[in-house]
């Protein structure tokens, strides 16, 4: 069959248009083999080719200058072809739409999902309108009404209805024989429930032109263009809840994937469209409660076995199954998660389940397809898990001959060791069940107009499959965290290695692309944890426990000359080594000051000291005081930590002749001992370094990475952009249409106490609190002075603030967030429940999920009522539906 493509595009001299697509003449999606187009006057480009394949032709246009691609079309085009026909297509070049989020899978597969139509039937000569229109909701369709009898004579009841196509296109097939002369028409969006047009296309009426004389029989003429529509102010509401925090009558002491279906039911019943969860990857490193931390995964792909809903896989042994249910019931009664007991119970159950049905499952076609699609990560993950337990340590450097990943050697060991083979097959089996169950949840959610929003952690565990199999992609000689913020005065040290971005760039960041695409199996939206890490990451030396001695990387550290030219004379001994002076030791150590001087310090000058060799880093100090948690030793240990932080500049690891100003150095004694002139010079240098010097540099770093990653899937992208946010971050996020995170009590503007909710950007997610913060009612108790200000100046209440945040006050706070301009308002379940006296948790402080300042926090919060009880709370659910409807988020 013959296909001819036309497109109007204005090029500069020396530039040529090519078309790349899914069929051999268009290069089989290989841009180096794209088909060159021919230029004709009026900026028109065309090309003709033969295609011998039936089905769907997908393609997009690219602009080349020589062999270099300088511009690509966004999205591309597609249409169906059948043998025996010729096709002529008039295309419109597609730029990134102003509301790109309408093309994400949450809209196309859930919110605005339309059932695929029957195959179109073409006549002898067919005229096809292929209209790009992502604005058509469920129970709506695109229609055409025009001046002639063929086009409906401007009568709604005679309008022609388009059929939905993939990628937000709509198709209408018209018998070309009926179009003898130009005919005027208008497009509109029709609502089937209201039985009326709810939007007429903006702009002048369109004209349908007859086919040119001599247009051959058995040919199809396609006109492809976009529907003219202004800004669509679509808004929605959702709930945030970790999977582990769910509670149902079927739970085994912890929330499970199967519980998410009940949460979907509740979201749908209350007109919410989004369920946001925390990371769900396997974190098993120690088999203790420490593994409850969801951001320390041992695999970026493997799902955590603890989340498998076991009631969906009952044991054949009825008596044994009954015993398990009894134990699960006891664990399910607990107010919080007993991680270790739950994990042990589930592992035991999985072993028994595998013994019963594992053999048959592993022989099934469904499993074999799963394994072949996931073998690249599944095999090393299973081997890692087995070797971790065999050697009783997750530190793979201590795994003898397997300290370095070698698939061939591992496969040989598996083949020759029955226990090894059985263990990894159990893990394959478990991952298959988890995959199948979570996939089912996503499908169930989409069918109910709800989507799941996942969470991609910024870091990987130092003891993880990826660190074992691909160590060259990570900087294992440093660790990452966050600078000081509202969560932690000393910064945060997450312990993860940082990314070797230069190495990752060599194959186009495929490590990240594959990670995102795996997420897309289960989610229609995702949150990029600490998106600032794609601009620069907070890099901390391995010798540190706290985060204050870190610096941003990549960065532009200062030369000694730059420091000197700022107005302060640089001395490495004074400014880049701990400044320990007699005059402040009493303030730090109190009654223990003399003991500290005698045992841990040595004299370096008049009233000056240095830390002894055995305690001159925070890691050494931690080791020195291990197991000594009494008041005195804790006081001395923390004081010694603070002495390590007494520097004004930190030497760059990669360029040791350059320096970074120490973050928040103004709170140090080293700074306080400077002269007023030196303080002024340091402050000016500090402000320029952190707030101006890197603006363009960090913008460019992010733009190298993020466009490739976010375009690799059709998920809606949200970024957690809290903390010390450079000016370049909102620039990039707006450019790429990444939704920001907005929290009323964490304003991004300096010297402001609260965000102005009415002023929030549309492309954002607003929330009352996050898993790292206290929910509304607990926050109310934390700082009475701040609460009073909020009560008077934000809630516009007079008089003293009450001791507790009542359900009425919570209702007002929640309502204020729902009425913000943010596209998404996703609130923690705890804060939704706070508006009900009968449903809220009696103890507000018990609802907090995580405290970032505690390095090893036990993540064990569970909702105090069951999902079944929540679904039965008719009055409460109606209240939420009403609030969401009034806020225009229905």
């Amino acid at each position: 069959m013959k296909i001819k493509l036309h497109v109007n595009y204005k090029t500069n001299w020396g530039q040529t248009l090519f078309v790349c697509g899914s069929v051999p003449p268009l290069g089989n999606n290989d841009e180096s083999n794209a088909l060159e187009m021919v230029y004709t006057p009026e900026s028109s480009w065309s090309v003709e080719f033969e295609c011998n394949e039936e089905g769907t032709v997908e393609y997009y246009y690219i602009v080349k200058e020589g062999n270099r691609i300088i511009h690509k079309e966004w999205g591309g085009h597609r249409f169906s072809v059948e043998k025996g026909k010729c096709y002529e297509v008039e295309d419109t070049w597609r730029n990134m739409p102003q509301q790109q989020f309408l093309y994400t899978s949450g809209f196309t597969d859930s919110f605005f999902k339309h059932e695929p139509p029957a195959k179109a039937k073409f006549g002898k000569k067919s005229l096809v309108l292929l209209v790009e229109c992502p604005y058509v909701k469920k129970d709506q369709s695109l229609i055409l009404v025009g001046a002639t009898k063929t086009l409906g004579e401007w009568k709604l009841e005679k309008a022609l209805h388009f059929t939905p196509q993939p990628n937000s296109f709509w198709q209408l097939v018209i018998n070309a024989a009926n179009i003898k002369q130009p005919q005027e028409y208008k497009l509109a969006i029709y609502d089937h429930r209201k039985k009326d047009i709810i939007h007429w296309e903006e702009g002048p009426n369109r004209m349908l032109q007859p086919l040119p004389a001599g247009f051959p029989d058995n040919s199809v003429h396609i006109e492809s263009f976009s529907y003219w529509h202004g800004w669509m102010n679509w808004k929605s509401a959702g709930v945030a809840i970790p999977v582990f925090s769910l509670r149902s009558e079927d739970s085994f002491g912890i929330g499970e994937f199967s519980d998410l279906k009940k949460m979907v039911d509740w979201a749908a019943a209350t007109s919410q469209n989004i369920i946001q969860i925390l990371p769900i990857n396997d974190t098993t490193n120690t088999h203790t409660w420490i593994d409850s931390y969801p951001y320390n995964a041992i695999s970026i792909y493997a799902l955590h076995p603890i989340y498998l809903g076991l009631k969906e896989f009952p044991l054949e042994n009825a008596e044994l199954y009954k015993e398990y249910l009894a134990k699960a019931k006891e664990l399910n009664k607990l107010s919080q998660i007993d991680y270790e007991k739950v994990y042990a119970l589930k592992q035991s159950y999985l072993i028994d389940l595998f013994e019963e049905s594992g053999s048959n499952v592993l022989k099934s076609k469904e499993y074999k397809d799963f394994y072949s699609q996931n073998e690249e990560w599944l095999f090393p993950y299973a081997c890692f898990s087995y070797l971790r337990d065999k050697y009783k340590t997750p530190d793979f450097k201590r795994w003898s001959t397997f300290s370095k990943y070698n698939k061939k050697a591992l496969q040989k060991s598996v083949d020759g060791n029955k226990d090894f083979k059985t263990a990894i097959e159990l893990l394959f089996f478990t991952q298959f069940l988890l995959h199948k169950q979570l996939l089912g949840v996503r499908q169930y959610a989409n069918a109910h107009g709800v989507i799941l929003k996942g969470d991609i952690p910024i870091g990987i565990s130092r003891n993880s499959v990826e660190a074992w199999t691909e160590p060259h992609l990570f900087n294992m000689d440093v660790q990452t965290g966050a600078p000081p913020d509202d969560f932690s005065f000393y910064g945060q040290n997450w312990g993860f290695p940082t990314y070797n971005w230069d190495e990752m760039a060599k194959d186009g960041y495929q490590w990240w692309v594959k990670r995102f695409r795996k997420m897309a199996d289960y989610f229609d939206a995702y949150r990029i944890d600490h998106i600032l890490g794609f601009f620069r990451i907070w890099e901390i030396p391995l010798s540190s426990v706290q985060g204050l001695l870190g610096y941003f990387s990549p960065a532009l550290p200062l030369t000694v000359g730059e420091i000197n030219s700022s107005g302060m004379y640089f001395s490495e001994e004074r400014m880049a080594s701990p400044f320990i002076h007699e005059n402040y030791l009493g303030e730090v150590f109190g009654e223990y000051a003399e003991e500290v001087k005698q045992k841990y310090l040595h004299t370096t000058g008049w009233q000056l000291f240095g830390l002894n060799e055995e305690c001159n880093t925070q890691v050494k100090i931690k080791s020195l005081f291990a197991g000594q948690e009494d008041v005195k030793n804790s006081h001395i240990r923390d004081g010694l930590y603070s002495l390590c932080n007494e520097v004004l500049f930190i030497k760059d690891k990669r360029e040791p002749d350059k320096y970074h100003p120490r973050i928040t150095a103004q709170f140090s004694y080293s700074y306080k001992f400077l002269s007023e002139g030196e303080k002024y010079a340091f402050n000016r240098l500090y402000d320029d370094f952190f707030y101006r010097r890197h603006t363009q540099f960090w913008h460019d770093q992010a733009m190298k990475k993020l466009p490739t990653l976010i375009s690799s899937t059709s998920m809606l992208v949200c970024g957690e952009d809290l903390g010390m946010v450079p000016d370049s971050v909102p620039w990039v996020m707006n450019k790429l249409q990444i939704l920001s995170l907005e929290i009323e009590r964490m304003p991004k503007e300096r010297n402001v106490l609260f965000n102005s909710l009415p002023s929030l950007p549309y492309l954002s997610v607003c929330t009352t609190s996050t898993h790292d913060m206290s929910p509304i009612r607990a926050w109310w108790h934390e700082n009475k002075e701040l609460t009073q200000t909020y009560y008077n100046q934000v809630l516009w209440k007079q008089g003293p603030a009450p001791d507790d945040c009542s359900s009425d006050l919570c209702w007002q706070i929640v309502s204020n967030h729902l009425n913000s301009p943010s596209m998404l308002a996703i609130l923690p379940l705890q804060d939704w429940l706070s508006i009900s006296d009968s449903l809220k948790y009696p103890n507000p402080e018990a609802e907090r999920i995580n405290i970032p300042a505690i390095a090893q926090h036990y993540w064990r919060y569970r909702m105090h009522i069951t999902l079944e009880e929540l679904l039965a709370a008719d009055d409460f659910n109606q209240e939420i539906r009403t609030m969401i409807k009034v806020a225009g988020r229905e």
Side-chain angles (χ1 to χ4, degrees):
M1 70 199 78
K2 186 177 292 184
I3 298 176
K4 190 170 185 179
L5 303 178
H6 304 268
V7 66
N8 282 327
Y9 186 83
K10 187 175 181 179
T11 53
N12 295 324
W13 186 87
Q15 296 176 350
T16 306
L17 223 62
F18 288 74
V19 57
C20 181
S22 59
V23 293
L26 302 184
N28 283 329
N29 293 321
D30 180 353
E31 292 177 351
S32 63
N33 293 319
L35 185 61
E36 184 173 352
M37 302 185 76
V38 177
Y39 178 77
T40 55
E42 304 298 327
S43 298
S44 179
W45 294 83
S46 62
V47 70
E48 188 173 310
F49 60 94
E50 291 285 338
C51 181
N52 298 319
E53 299 181 18
E54 274 195 299
T56 301
V57 176
E58 298 182 349
Y59 60 96
Y60 58 97
Y61 298 106
I62 56 179
V63 182
K64 288 188 178 183
E65 199 168 74
N67 292 323
R68 186 169 63 94
I69 296 173
I70 61 170
H71 193 31
K72 290 184 189 181
E73 188 183 28
W74 183 90
H77 312 263
R78 59 180 286 157
F79 61 91
S80 297
V81 296
E82 55 186 59
K83 286 185 178 178
K85 292 194 178 293
C86 295
Y87 295 83
E88 184 164 356
V89 184
E90 298 282 351
D91 274 327
T92 303
W93 177 280
R94 297 180 70 197
N95 290 310
M96 179 190 287
Q98 64 173 348
Q99 290 185 283
Q100 184 182 350
F101 59 85
L102 293 173
Y103 298 81
T104 60
S105 61
F107 288 85
T108 59
D109 296 348
S110 185
F111 306 151
F112 293 5
K113 184 178 181 179
H114 298 275
E115 294 303 320
K119 187 176 179 181
K121 294 181 179 179
F122 299 111
K124 194 174 182 180
K125 292 182 181 179
S126 296
L127 179 59
V128 177
L129 300 183
L130 197 56
V131 181
E132 178 185 11
C133 184
Y135 311 101
V136 185
K137 300 179 181 180
K138 281 183 179 179
D139 300 315
Q140 297 176 356
S141 60
L142 188 67
I143 64 170
L144 178 152
V145 62
T148 65
K149 184 176 181 180
T150 301
L151 302 186
E153 299 176 314
W154 297 116
K155 294 179 180 178
L156 179 58
E157 63 272 16
K158 293 183 179 181
L160 305 181
H161 286 251
F162 286 71
T163 57
Q165 303 295 311
N167 302 333
S168 301
F169 276 83
W170 292 78
Q171 180 175 281
L172 179 65
V173 180
I174 300 173
N175 185 347
N178 295 330
I179 310 298
K180 304 291 188 183
Q181 59 189 15
Q183 299 185 15
E184 190 177 16
Y185 71 92
K186 192 83 172 176
L187 298 178
I189 297 173
Y190 177 79
D191 191 294
H192 294 276
R193 289 180 299 179
K194 297 178 180 178
K195 299 185 184 306
D196 200 2
I197 290 171
I198 55 106
H199 185 271
W200 286 98
E201 184 184 26
E202 297 171 13
N205 292 349
R206 294 181 181 269
M207 296 296 294
L208 192 63
Q209 301 291 341
L211 296 180
F215 193 77
D217 290 345
N218 293 318
S219 295
V220 179
H221 181 85
I222 301 174
E223 293 182 15
S224 180
F225 56 91
S226 297
Y227 182 92
W228 295 331
H229 193 293
W231 185 268
M232 186 179 193
N233 198 37
W234 182 89
K235 297 197 295 183
S236 184
V239 59
I241 180 81
V243 173
F244 60 75
S245 297
L246 297 172
R247 183 190 296 272
S248 78
E249 293 172 3
D250 295 329
S251 304
F252 268 52
I254 194 170
E256 300 166 332
F257 288 157
S258 51
D259 292 331
L260 282 168
K261 288 187 177 180
K262 293 186 178 73
M263 179 53 77
V264 168
D265 292 339
W266 181 72
T270 53
S271 300
Q272 298 183 71
N273 297 116
I274 301 162
I275 298 173
Q276 176 177 310
I277 62 176
L278 294 184
I280 50 174
N281 295 109
D282 191 355
T283 57
T284 308
N285 251 326
T286 67
H287 299 287
T288 69
W289 65 265
I290 293 172
D291 297 338
S292 68
Y293 176 37
Y295 288 89
N296 193 38
I298 63 166
S299 168
I300 60 173
Y301 301 107
L303 301 171
H304 204 312
I306 207 166
Y307 294 134
L308 186 65
L310 297 179
K311 275 201 172 180
E312 289 190 3
F313 307 99
L315 295 174
E316 295 172 7
N317 185 330
E319 197 61 37
L320 182 59
Y321 184 54
K322 188 176 178 181
E323 290 177 17
Y324 275 114
L325 292 181
K327 292 177 181 177
K329 188 175 182 179
E330 291 304 310
L331 288 172
N332 215 28
K333 289 178 182 177
L334 300 176
S335 61
Q336 294 181 307
I337 300 164
D338 189 325
Y339 185 91
E340 292 171 22
K341 286 184 179 179
V342 169
Y343 181 81
L345 180 68
K346 290 205 160 192
Q347 285 301 110
S348 177
Y349 189 102
L350 284 167
I351 291 169
D352 288 333
L353 182 64
F354 181 65
E355 288 179 356
E356 284 189 352
S357 59
S359 178
N360 290 334
V361 169
L362 298 187
K363 291 174 185 175
S364 68
K365 182 182 184 303
E366 190 178 9
Y367 166 78
K368 288 178 180 178
D369 289 344
F370 165 78
Y371 185 83
S372 65
Q373 293 164 11
N374 296 277
E375 181 182 4
E376 182 182 4
W377 65 264
L378 190 53
F379 179 77
Y381 159 73
C383 291
F384 179 95
S385 300
Y386 171 80
L387 294 168
R388 173 202 62 214
D389 294 346
K390 176 185 176 182
Y391 289 101
K392 294 182 171 54
T393 175
D395 184 357
F396 51 82
K397 295 186 290 295
R398 296 162 60 188
W399 289 354
S400 185
T401 56
F402 296 115
S403 60
K404 292 184 179 179
Y405 179 72
N406 184 318
K407 184 177 180 181
K408 194 172 181 180
L410 281 164
Q411 187 64 64
K412 184 177 179 181
S413 182
V414 168
D415 293 340
N417 185 327
K418 185 179 179 181
D419 290 342
F420 199 165
K421 189 172 189 294
T422 301
I424 67 169
E425 285 182 343
L426 168 62
L427 288 156
F428 297 160
F429 169 80
T430 303
Q431 287 299 312
F432 170 66
L433 297 185
L434 287 159
H435 167 77
K436 188 176 178 179
Q437 191 171 73
L438 187 54
L439 207 58
V441 172
R442 181 197 179 172
Q443 292 163 355
Y444 184 84
N446 286 172
H448 287 74
V450 176
I451 67 170
L452 301 182
K453 180 185 175 188
D455 193 338
I456 295 186
I458 188 60
I460 66 151
S461 173
R462 188 170 295 278
N463 298 316
S464 67
V465 180
E466 286 71 36
W468 181 43
T469 58
E470 303 172 283
H472 61 291
L473 298 181
F474 311 100
N475 299 314
M476 302 296 287
D477 57 345
V478 291
Q479 54 194 341
T480 189
D485 56 20
D486 291 348
F487 297 131
S488 177
F489 176 82
Y490 298 104
Q492 299 175 52
N493 184 348
W494 303 326
F496 309 136
T498 62
Y499 295 110
N500 185 341
W501 290 111
D502 291 339
E503 195 65 34
M504 287 183 162
K506 291 179 180 178
D507 65 355
Y509 305 104
Q510 284 304 299
W511 186 89
W512 281 97
V513 168
K514 289 185 285 187
R515 184 182 187 185
F516 278 44
R517 286 178 177 166
K518 185 60 182 173
M519 285 280 291
D521 284 349
Y522 313 118
F523 301 103
D524 290 300
Y526 63 96
R527 165 189 178 270
I528 301 178
D529 170 49
H530 195 66
I531 196 173
L532 307 183
F534 289 88
F535 295 75
R536 77 292 186 273
I537 199 72
W538 191 248
E539 196 168 83
I540 305 166
L542 287 178
S543 58
S544 285
V545 172
Q546 299 171 335
L548 285 178
L549 292 179
Y551 51 76
F552 290 121
S553 177
L556 303 170
L558 299 164
T559 65
V560 172
E562 287 178 297
I563 298 172
N564 287 336
S565 65
S566 72
M568 60 187 305
Y569 176 75
F570 178 77
S571 163
E572 182 173 342
E573 182 180 2
R574 165 65 180 87
M575 298 177 178
S577 300
F579 174 75
I580 306 173
H581 197 281
E582 174 82 34
N583 287 359
Y584 73 75
L585 290 178
E587 293 182 35
V588 175
F589 296 100
E591 62 184 291
Y592 311 121
E594 286 303 319
E595 181 180 346
V596 168
K597 285 192 286 185
Q598 295 299 319
K599 292 178 65 174
Y600 305 107
L601 306 179
H602 60 271
T603 302
T604 59
W606 173 247
Q607 294 188 321
L608 296 175
F609 300 89
L611 289 159
N612 292 341
E613 179 67 26
E614 68 275 10
C615 59
N616 62 0
T617 71
Q618 291 183 344
V619 166
K620 289 181 180 179
I621 295 165
K622 181 180 179 180
S623 177
L624 195 63
F625 286 83
Q628 303 178 63
E629 300 297 331
D630 58 278
V631 173
K632 174 184 175 181
N633 282 296
S634 295
H635 188 156
I636 294 174
R637 179 201 61 206
D638 293 346
L640 292 174
Y641 282 168
S642 71
L643 296 188
C644 294
N645 296 328
E646 284 295 332
V647 296
L648 297 175
F649 293 95
I650 300 168
K651 185 177 293 190
D652 188 86
K653 183 178 179 65
R654 296 169 185 82
E655 298 181 89
D657 59 337
K658 295 182 179 180
Y659 298 86
H660 304 254
R662 204 216 82 184
I663 194 79
T664 61
Q666 290 87 344
F667 294 101
S668 70
Y669 288 102
S670 184
Y671 173 85
K672 291 175 183 176
F673 275 69
L674 294 175
S675 68
E676 291 304 311
E678 289 173 321
K679 287 178 182 177
Y680 176 79
F682 181 83
N683 290 342
R684 195 171 56 176
L685 188 72
Y686 181 98
D687 289 345
D688 179 73
F689 186 87
F690 285 113
Y691 298 106
R692 289 182 288 275
R693 182 181 179 94
H694 297 91
T695 301
Q696 188 64 44
F697 178 74
W698 285 336
H699 168 279
D700 296 344
Q701 296 300 313
M703 290 302 293
K704 288 178 186 176
K705 308 157 192 164
L706 286 173
T708 298
L709 308 189
I710 65 175
S711 65
S712 65
T713 77
S714 60
M715 294 186 288
L716 176 67
V717 191
C718 309
E720 184 265 287
D721 55 337
L722 304 178
M724 196 172 178
V725 183
D727 289 343
S728 54
V729 172
W731 298 354
V732 170
M733 292 180 71
N734 286 331
K735 187 183 298 184
L736 301 179
Q737 297 188 31
I738 299 173
L739 274 62
S740 63
L741 178 60
E742 306 295 337
I743 303 173
E744 187 177 36
R745 48 187 147 123
M746 280 194 71
K748 292 168 183 172
E749 188 178 346
R750 297 170 74 183
N751 302 317
V752 172
L753 287 178
F754 301 105
N755 252 332
S756 170
L757 293 181
S759 303
L760 296 183
Y762 175 73
L763 289 178
S764 68
V765 179
C766 83
T767 187
T768 46
S769 54
T770 74
H771 60 274
D772 283 331
M773 305 167 67
S774 298
I776 294 172
R777 293 186 302 139
W779 169 76
W780 196 268
H781 296 155
E782 289 178 353
N783 183 328
K784 286 308 233 177
E785 184 178 348
L786 192 63
T787 299
Q788 185 65 56
T789 302
Y790 182 81
Y791 183 74
N792 297 139
Q793 298 182 11
V794 178
L795 298 182
W796 295 102
K797 303 286 187 182
Q798 294 183 346
D803 292 336
D804 296 316
C805 192
S806 67
S807 58
D808 288 341
L809 289 174
C810 289
W811 187 96
Q812 183 177 347
I813 294 169
V814 168
S815 181
N816 289 347
H817 283 76
L818 291 175
N819 283 284
S820 76
S822 296
M823 188 173 98
L824 304 181
I826 303 178
L827 313 184
L829 180 65
Q830 302 96 305
D831 290 342
W832 279 118
L833 296 176
S834 71
I835 70 173
S836 168
D837 283 330
S838 60
L839 294 178
K840 65 187 180 185
Y841 204 169
N843 179 7
E845 280 66 33
E847 292 185 307
R848 183 158 187 174
I849 295 171
N850 179 45
I851 303 175
I854 299 176
Q856 289 189 337
H857 182 74
Y858 196 167
W859 297 60
R860 60 189 313 198
Y861 163 74
R862 289 191 83 191
M863 54 190 291
H864 63 290
I865 59 174
T866 65
L867 286 161
E868 290 84 356
E869 291 171 321
L870 185 60
L871 281 163
D874 294 335
D875 292 343
F876 173 69
N877 295 337
Q878 178 59 50
E879 179 72 15
I880 292 180
R881 278 197 301 273
T882 301
M883 293 176 75
I884 288 173
K885 182 176 183 179
V886 169
R889 295 185 179 273
E890 191 177 33

